[in-house]
Amino acid sequence: RQAVADAAPAGDVITFGPALNGQTVQLSTRVVLDKSLTISGPGAGLLAVGGQQRSGLFAVAGAPRVSITGLTLTGGAAQSAAAVDNPSGTLLLSNCTVASNTAISSAGAVASGGYLGIDGCTFVGNAVTFGSGGAVATTGRAVIRSSVFFNTF
């Protein structure tokens, strides 16, 4: 959260240190991403960001370009978009695992009203209780490549 606050208005890359490998960074509230940046993990099998089934994980605010790569996004819980909520920005997910996120009304994992690009990601076990979009719900443009979706409700 502090690294996002300290990031430049555009173009910064936030990289997780190797000391976090094998761990889950637990969040108690969503991290607001209100500037263009890249969040880069060491690999989806090495580092997770989790919501402990109590909170959504990330919210893109405004219209920045946000890239999230090399992380597992897991355990998010929210009214909608339990992993990432992107109302109007550009969201790029690459080489991520998005697993076990739950929303009540829409988009168990990711909701996007802006541009959504997904490349090389695995979506597994994401669910929405009432509504649609067990893994992804979008009203904007979406491009999905080389990704796998299974056990989404």
Side-chain angles (χ1 to χ4, degrees), residues 36-37 60 62-67 86 88-92 112 114-117:
S36 295
L37 55 81
V60 179
R65 177 186 169 98
V66 173
S67 295
N86 176 43
S88 60
T90 295
L91 174 62
L92 306 171
S112 183
Y115 177 83
L116 174 63

Side-chain angles (χ1 to χ4, degrees), residues 83-119:
V84 186
D85 188 14
N86 176 43
S88 60
T90 295
L91 174 62
L92 306 171
L93 297 175
S94 62
N95 303 312
C96 290
T97 296
V98 184
S100 303
N101 297 286
T102 305
I104 295 171
S105 63
S106 173
V110 178
S112 183
Y115 177 83
L116 174 63
I118 298 172
D119 188 15

Side-chain angles (χ1 to χ4, degrees), residues 10-77:
D12 264 2
V13 176
I14 297 170
T15 304
F16 291 90
L20 292 173
N21 287 0
Q23 297 185 42
T24 300
V25 176
Q26 297 290 358
L27 302 175
S28 57
T29 60
R30 286 190 194 264
V31 175
V32 176
L33 307 172
D34 60 355
K35 50 189 93 172
S36 295
L37 55 81
T38 296
I39 299 173
S40 181
L46 294 174
L47 183 62
V49 175
Q52 307 174 69
Q53 295 298 327
R54 292 185 291 192
S55 171
L57 305 180
F58 295 104
V60 179
R65 177 186 169 98
V66 173
S67 295
I68 300 174
T69 183
L71 289 172
T72 290
L73 306 178
T74 188

